[in-house]
Amino acid sequence: MDWIGRSVSEMASALQQGEVTAQALAEEHLSHIEACEPKVRSFLEVFREQALTAAEAVDRKRAAGEKLGPLAGVPVAIKDNICVKGEIASCSSKMLENFRSPYNSHVTERLLDAGAVLVGRTNMDEFAMGSSCESSAFFPTSNPWDLDRTPGGSSGGSAAAVAAGFAPIAIGSDTGGSIRQPASFCGVVGLKPTYGRVSRFGLIAFASSLDQIGPIATDVCGAALTLDAIAGHDGRDSTSAKEPVPSFSDALDQPLAGLRVGVVAEHDNDGLDDEVRQAVAKSVDAYRKLGAEIVNIDLPNAQYGVAVYYVLAPSEASSNLARYDGVHYGYRAEAENGPHSMIEMYEHSRGQGFGDEVKRRIMLGTYALSSGVYAAYYKKALEVRRLIRDDFTKAFESVDFVLSPTSPTPPFKIGEMIDNPLALYLNDLFTIGANLAGLPAISLPCGKTSSGLPIGVQLIAPAFEEARLLRASRMLEQEIGWDGELAGCVSQLAGD
Amino acid sequence: MQYEVVVGLEVHVQLLTKSKIFCGCANKFNPDNPNTQTCPVCLGLPGSLPVLNAEAFRLSCITAMALNCEIARFTKWDRKQYYYPDLPKGYQISQYDLPFSEHGWIEAQVEDGPVRKIRILRAHLEEDAGKNIHDESGRGGDSKVDLNRAGTPLLEIVSQPDIRSAAEAKACLEELHLLLTFLGVSDCNMQEGSLRCDANVNLHIQTESGDKVATPIVEIKNLNTFRGVEAAIEVEVKRQLEEFKKTGRKLGDPGVEKETRGWDAERNTTFAQRGKEEAADYRYFPDPDLVPVVVSEEQLTEWRTFVCESPSRRRRRFQEAGLSAYDAEVIVNQGREFADYYERVADAIGDAKQAANWATQDVLRTLNDKQQTIDDFALSSDVLAALLKRIVDGDITVKSGRELFAALIEEADDGQAAAASRIDELIEERGLKVVNDTGALDAAIDAALAESPQAVEDFRNGKQQAVGAVIGKVMKSLKGADPKQVRERIIEKLSG
């Protein structure tokens, strides 16, 4: 267990220095997965053979003196809604259980170019709809810190895989907090870049105007190195930004001077867990100690975020998921009593292929887009979305970042929220704003509960300010001192 | 019962682009190799994203300009949602409330009737669907789907209900067809579905009590021949009239909805059709995968240079140059290449009428005989102009011109390309030059008279027609002679 639970940059530099081969690193991770994965269940499939072959190729290239990418030999897990050529991309849904993608997503191409070794596809809430990984059609994933608890969601498998030491990097997607909330629950770093920063080509859509791919990693530096690899314009995604892409890792260790950190008074409400409140307050103190000015700001429309989100995201989802109709690919219901009609084929295929949470959101969205209520729901939600965006624009006139808890609670127990979808929706309260406004936001560990569960703090930055966001995060990470925590989690897991 | 026929057309035009509207697949009619011109985007595979083909948008704008439409400076894409197996995403990318163009008109004329302006409500751009192929053997085989056509750029042109007869609907569609071929934006192949037409039909009836009532609107789908448009509307008008007499049902009555009917050309009847969806709520909303298009003044200016003169304007101009309405129509209706050919000849010889006579008679007859288009025609406009110039200048007679015309075509058939220089040689070889030299003429006449004593005697005995034989002899030896002049001269000599 030399390398398990170590950071991305440690592994990358050891590989470059020849201290470890990619094959050895892959084998070590694969045997760790073999030993501990049954407890965590973060993977839908482990790419054992593919990973060893890829690692061997990296070592061969390195031996031949060929130029290698910055992630050459680093194990990376990938969320199951991101297409990898020749592999299944199921979105943890029965609907796509056997759908094998004939093409690579943009992010997959970039990762492979960077030399990453893909170790498996990770479990998630079905079609990324959920905050606990429990809506997966296959099985729930456990939180490596406490196996009775959820890793969060929807990128729960990715966050759990990083926390469990199965891979130092996992790719996630974030529509309303799906990278940041599980990162927070699992004590790892999760970054949702600016909308358009990372191409969505090959990301199976949930809500197109909100979806964004990003890294989950052991530490801030790992997130920066991953973003270096995957960010940038892609002509195959019309919403991909043409903004210049700086190096996110180069200046990472240079602290920022004169920081103004915004905090929102309304965030401190009844729904906020006490231990989360205390841990986040410590982060505010840490910034103060680092010379930052703490500024109270007002986001007057933030309170409508959850309502707006649960109109817009299901509306887009109802449309995006219409293609799963049993005709062309994916699940098709068997006809029971003689051949069924076209409508029956649609109804049965969709009725059987989708789980409850997905159906709930398709129904919500279908209703919100109906001709009689479109103006009252969808259009109104778009208008409020603009107000929420304007609030952030105004706030960023006086602060560099907005700091808040990532999630109002620490990880909850598997099954605890399953009958209360509304309470689960409210768990997204702090994270949704960044998606509605298209802003980059990060979650990083900021402490633990008395029972040893991780707590995350979120920073939101202005659009395309990921470089500064990551530097500010690095400052906090060093001040809080999370080093060794992941290793502790891993050894506890291995010992259990 | 007095009534007025009210018709509006919806015309779908497949644009002649190299690739499809939202992906790089070939845009070619290819029913023999189903599903070979497809990719993840036009198959609607999970994770794929559309990117607008700028050429499709350009061709659309040029067409709309030629239809006298205003081009919107801001336009967006909307999803029109319904389930059908030929629609792989479960929605069609189309334009709803902000089409790229509106408020145009086209002229239509029924035979010798007045030229009428038919207003265009809007033209918008969308993607075509695939094609469902059903087992027509009656053995109940599987239905299949061919997605080669899915994603073909489709321009939908919607007229106002300004059309007042079946014949006018046909004329309007023919005029549109001609304009589209003039512009070269579509191959307009109706058999292959490049141009498809739906007609909205109802009647405004003057009742005996003097009230004006409208019958329910019926949309007749898929009228794919000019004759079909006319016949279907004629039949539908009769049907609506009978229906009204029977039931008295009118537009706006409770329970009266727009009906969709199909056209059965073989049985010469329209028939009730079930819609592709139960109730038509398409739940339009802006496609979040595509960005709106902003059109610049520079683009408009550039595109305007591709807008050619419309057929109706061209007919009018030809008439102003001295052609009959009939000739102008025949020439223009042959298509742009033919009209251009005619016009080059007319300009070169400075005699529109002469050029029109040749174009509409000799040239067209030859093209028909040889099943050729003007592009394949043996005589280039330069050659025909050189030939006609000789006639206009009085160097040769019209009759000689016809002989030369035939000779040039015959030589071309034998592989000798027709060239202007060959005209002089042929005139020389065949002695076709008009003889103005009275000496040569007199000599030929004297010789002919000497050879024809019987004719001379007959003439002198009062048989006027006897000179015919003498004229024939003269013309044989002196082809360029003017027969009228020859006759006068013979009579003069014999009467002298």
Side-chain angles (χ1 to χ4, degrees):
Chain A
M1 295 255 297
D2 289 348
W3 295 98
I4 301 303
R6 304 272 286 271
S7 74
V8 177
S9 46
E10 280 176 292
M11 288 188 214
S13 84
L15 284 158
Q16 274 157 28
Q17 307 299 320
E19 292 164 30
V20 64
T21 64
Q23 280 181 87
L25 200 61
E27 273 163 16
E28 197 178 322
H29 279 90
L30 288 168
S31 59
H32 176 56
I33 290 170
E34 203 167 302
C36 296
E37 166 65 6
K39 298 177 197 167
V40 184
R41 309 191 79 191
S42 57
F43 286 103
L44 290 167
E45 186 184 0
V46 176
F47 299 152
R48 188 178 175 85
E49 296 310 316
Q50 301 95 311
L52 290 172
T53 308
E56 197 214 322
V58 168
D59 288 335
R60 203 171 50 236
K61 280 185 194 164
R62 202 184 300 279
E66 282 178 45
K67 198 176 168 343
L68 286 168
L71 298 177
V74 176
V76 174
I78 193 156
K79 189 176 179 179
D80 201 37
N81 59 354
I82 296 170
C83 291
V84 177
K85 190 174 177 176
E87 304 292 350
I88 286 170
S90 79
C91 291
S92 285
S93 178
K94 189 174 168 184
M95 185 59 89
L96 292 176
E97 187 172 4
N98 297 310
F99 171 72
R100 214 168 266 283
S101 175
Y103 73 103
N104 270 330
S105 73
H106 178 79
V107 163
T108 307
E109 285 174 1
R110 289 294 196 87
L111 288 170
L112 295 176
D113 286 349
V117 172
L118 302 184
V119 292
R121 49 191 185 89
T122 56
N123 197 20
M124 55 188 279
D125 284 292
E126 185 178 4
F127 281 103
M129 297 174 187
S131 310
S132 65
C133 255
E134 291 164 285
S135 77
S136 167
F138 306 118
F139 46 79
T141 294
S142 286
N143 191 318
W145 295 81
D146 178 346
L147 297 173
D148 292 334
R149 291 177 189 268
T150 84
S154 66
S155 312
S158 289
V162 174
F166 298 153
I169 297 169
I171 303 300
S173 69
D174 189 317
T175 305
S178 278
I179 286 175
R180 291 159 287 158
Q181 185 255 21
S184 159
F185 277 20
C186 292
V188 293
V189 173
L191 171 67
K192 180 199 94 72
T194 311
Y195 184 78
R197 183 63 109 177
V198 179
S199 168
R200 293 185 294 116
F201 183 79
L203 166 67
I204 302 180
F206 160 17
S208 313
S209 77
L210 301 159
D211 293 344
Q212 181 61 196
I213 295 175
I216 293 173
T218 51
D219 57 353
V220 174
C221 183
L225 283 165
T226 312
L227 189 61
D228 278 341
I230 64 175
H233 179 68
D234 173 19
R236 298 168 297 184
D237 173 1
S238 305
T239 64
S240 166
K242 287 184 176 144
E243 291 287 316
V245 183
S247 164
F248 300 105
S249 55
D250 275 359
L252 192 63
D253 282 323
Q254 291 171 23
L256 293 160
L259 271 189
R260 296 162 304 166
V261 176
V263 292
V264 183
E266 290 87 19
H267 281 171
D268 191 356
N269 60 29
D270 292 347
L272 188 62
D273 179 273
D274 266 343
E275 289 184 298
V276 172
R277 178 185 290 115
Q278 284 161 25
V280 171
K282 273 189 197 151
S283 293
V284 174
D285 286 344
Y287 270 122
R288 200 176 275 124
K289 227 172 93 190
L290 288 164
E293 182 191 348
I294 308 301
V295 183
N296 281 308
I297 56 157
D298 199 16
L299 296 173
N301 295 290
Q303 56 180 314
Y304 306 117
V306 173
V308 167
Y309 177 86
Y310 279 97
V311 172
L312 294 182
S315 293
E316 294 185 24
S318 72
S319 175
N320 284 331
L321 272 62
R323 66 187 65 194
Y324 310 117
D325 58 5
V327 175
H328 302 271
Y329 51 80
Y331 181 81
R332 183 192 288 190
E334 293 292 328
E336 277 165 22
N337 307 311
H340 47 200
S341 70
M342 185 180 83
I343 299 293
E344 284 168 336
M345 176 193 63
Y346 285 142
E347 285 175 353
H348 296 163
S349 298
R350 289 171 66 79
Q352 294 162 25
F354 290 135
D356 286 349
E357 184 59 31
V358 171
K359 285 185 207 164
R360 186 179 294 128
R361 298 204 198 189
I362 288 175
M363 286 189 278
L364 271 174
T366 303
Y367 178 71
L369 290 177
S370 303
S371 59
V373 301
Y374 178 88
Y377 289 98
Y378 184 80
K379 200 156 167 279
K380 178 72 79 184
L382 274 190
E383 287 160 7
V384 180
R385 180 179 188 176
R386 173 159 295 249
L387 296 178
I388 290 170
R389 194 177 294 164
D390 291 348
D391 282 353
F392 276 107
T393 306
K394 190 154 171 285
F396 287 129
E397 286 168 10
S398 52
V399 298
D400 297 298
F401 307 104
V402 175
L403 183 150
S404 74
T406 304
S407 162
T409 65
F412 46 86
K413 287 204 161 140
I414 293 173
E416 189 180 330
M417 307 273 260
I418 213 152
D419 295 324
N420 194 351
L422 190 60
L424 205 54
Y425 292 176
L426 289 169
N427 207 267
D428 300 336
L429 181 66
F430 301 125
T431 49
I432 275 172
N435 299 84
L436 290 173
L439 303 174
I442 195 168
S443 175
L444 57 157
C446 69
K448 287 199 282 191
T449 64
S450 52
S451 56
L453 296 170
I455 295 167
V457 61
Q458 172 182 247
L459 293 175
I460 304 175
F464 301 106
E465 292 279 10
E466 288 91 348
R468 283 171 56 83
L469 177 64
L470 286 160
R471 281 167 70 185
S473 302
R474 178 71 185 130
M475 290 164 69
L476 185 60
E477 182 182 54
Q478 282 176 307
E479 189 64 25
I480 285 171
W482 194 249
D483 285 358
E485 290 287 349
L486 274 190
C489 174
V490 169
S491 59
Q492 182 199 321
L493 179 68
D496 270 347
Chain B
M1 203 181 278
Q2 282 232 326
Y3 64 90
E4 185 177 41
V5 176
V6 179
V7 177
L9 296 182
E10 283 177 26
V11 182
H12 288 90
V13 184
Q14 289 184 339
L15 298 175
L16 208 53
T17 52
K18 281 201 185 70
S19 54
K20 293 185 179 182
I21 182 169
F22 294 120
C23 64
C25 288
N27 173 26
K28 260 194 338 229
F29 181 70
N30 186 3
D32 295 335
N33 302 290
N35 297 309
T36 53
Q37 286 156 208
T38 57
C39 74
V41 176
C42 57
L43 291 175
L45 290 191
S48 64
L49 294 171
V51 177
L52 176 66
N53 177 347
E55 178 65 4
F57 190 71
R58 190 184 73 95
L59 293 183
S60 300
C61 286
I62 290 169
T63 310
M65 284 173 170
L67 288 167
N68 310 292
C69 286
E70 295 159 19
I71 307 294
R73 301 299 291 269
F74 177 94
T75 189
K76 68 178 173 74
W77 310 98
D78 300 286
R79 293 182 181 180
K80 177 181 180 175
Q81 314 197 61
Y82 62 92
Y83 287 99
Y84 210 56
D86 65 7
L87 191 70
K89 297 189 296 297
Y91 58 82
Q92 177 193 29
I93 303 176
S94 181
Q95 299 198 284
Y96 181 50
D97 54 342
L98 295 174
F100 80 89
S101 74
E102 288 181 289
H103 310 313
W105 46 266
I106 188 167
E107 289 180 343
Q109 184 181 21
V110 179
E111 285 168 13
D112 297 331
V115 173
R116 291 189 64 235
K117 265 188 191 179
I118 309 300
R119 289 171 301 157
I120 307 288
L121 176 65
R122 58 186 275 168
H124 71 253
L125 184 55
E126 59 189 24
E127 58 179 342
D128 208 344
K131 219 170 162 54
N132 295 340
I133 298 153
H134 304 293
D135 178 17
E136 281 165 8
S137 71
R139 282 182 230 110
D142 288 345
S143 291
K144 292 172 181 169
V145 183
D146 176 10
L147 294 178
N148 279 351
R149 194 178 75 173
T152 296
L154 202 58
L155 181 65
E156 179 173 333
I157 300 165
V158 184
S159 89
Q160 295 275 17
D162 287 352
I163 296 166
R164 289 292 170 270
S165 70
E168 190 168 64
K170 176 168 175 263
C172 183
L173 188 64
E174 284 173 335
E175 190 67 9
L176 180 61
H177 177 273
L178 192 61
L179 175 66
L180 294 166
T181 55
F182 264 54
L183 292 167
V185 295
S186 172
D187 66 17
C188 291
N189 188 327
M190 294 177 86
Q191 278 96 51
E192 294 179 0
S194 307
L195 185 72
R196 316 197 285 269
C197 181
D198 304 333
N200 285 291
V201 181
N202 77 338
L203 309 178
H204 289 179
I205 295 174
Q206 192 86 37
T207 62
E208 276 144 30
S209 58
D211 293 340
K212 217 173 162 187
V213 297
T215 55
I217 297 172
V218 167
E219 181 175 10
I220 316 172
K221 286 271 184 199
N222 290 323
L223 299 170
N224 296 334
T225 62
F226 296 121
R227 175 67 202 133
V229 171
E230 187 174 26
I233 295 171
E234 277 169 359
V235 165
E236 179 59 22
V237 165
K238 284 199 196 106
R239 195 195 65 80
Q240 288 193 17
L241 204 56
E242 290 307 310
E243 186 79 10
F244 180 76
K245 283 178 188 160
K246 240 188 284 170
T247 65
R249 273 176 22 122
K250 53 187 193 295
L251 191 67
D253 282 351
V256 168
E257 279 167 15
K258 184 169 155 179
E259 190 189 353
T260 301
R261 298 181 72 85
W263 167 238
D264 185 335
E266 275 171 38
R267 294 195 177 79
N268 202 44
T269 178
T270 64
F271 58 92
Q273 237 179 8
R274 208 168 57 110
K276 53 191 156 194
E277 67 295 313
E278 304 278 283
D281 181 356
Y282 291 121
R283 302 193 310 281
Y284 281 102
F285 82 109
D287 192 328
D289 287 333
L290 286 161
V291 286
V293 177
V294 176
V295 177
S296 71
E297 196 61 54
E298 291 72 34
Q299 282 172 311
L300 288 178
T301 309
E302 195 214 317
W303 292 338
R304 215 171 282 286
T305 64
F306 292 94
V307 179
C308 65
E309 186 181 31
S310 73
S312 56
R313 250 177 247 148
R314 206 155 187 187
R315 281 188 210 103
R316 213 169 299 141
R317 191 162 56 75
F318 285 178
Q319 286 183 53
E320 283 160 12
L323 300 201
S324 66
Y326 178 80
D327 277 355
E329 177 159 324
V330 168
I331 290 169
V332 171
N333 287 15
Q334 294 306 312
R336 186 179 181 178
E337 285 74 18
F338 190 88
D340 287 349
Y341 180 96
Y342 152 76
E343 207 165 2
R344 284 195 301 272
V345 174
D347 287 351
I349 67 170
D351 185 339
K353 189 75 193 131
Q354 184 77 251
N357 286 343
W358 283 79
T360 58
Q361 293 165 36
D362 305 82
V363 176
L364 267 187
R365 188 184 320 115
T366 312
L367 293 181
N368 283 338
D369 288 350
K370 294 183 179 296
Q371 295 284 303
Q372 282 178 327
T373 67
I374 193 70
D375 292 335
D376 315 319
F377 186 49
L379 307 194
S380 70
S381 56
D382 292 347
V383 173
L384 184 63
L387 175 60
L388 300 193
K389 189 82 172 89
R390 296 312 178 98
I391 297 172
V392 173
D393 290 350
D395 290 342
I396 57 171
T397 62
V398 170
K399 186 159 173 279
S400 302
R402 294 238 150 78
E403 185 181 331
L404 279 180
F405 183 87
L408 286 167
I409 286 170
E410 202 170 302
E411 289 185 356
D413 287 347
D414 294 339
Q416 185 184 348
S421 59
R422 184 72 188 125
I423 293 171
D424 282 343
E425 292 169 19
L426 280 169
I427 290 173
E428 193 63 32
E429 282 169 23
R430 300 186 174 218
L432 296 178
K433 193 161 166 53
V434 167
V435 179
N436 295 317
D437 177 351
T438 48
L441 187 59
D442 284 348
I445 291 172
D446 289 346
L449 288 173
E451 282 172 27
S452 322
Q454 186 63 48
V456 171
E457 200 185 320
D458 288 350
F459 178 80
R460 290 202 166 125
N461 290 333
K463 243 176 119 183
Q464 285 274 327
Q465 64 267 45
V467 291
V470 185
I471 296 170
K473 278 203 165 77
V474 175
M475 293 305 294
K476 208 166 181 183
S477 65
L478 216 59
K479 285 191 176 165
D482 177 358
K484 211 171 130 204
Q485 196 188 358
V486 172
R487 160 180 279 271
E488 281 165 9
R489 198 106 183 106
I490 291 169
I491 293 170
E492 203 175 302
K493 276 179 190 273
L494 292 178
S495 317

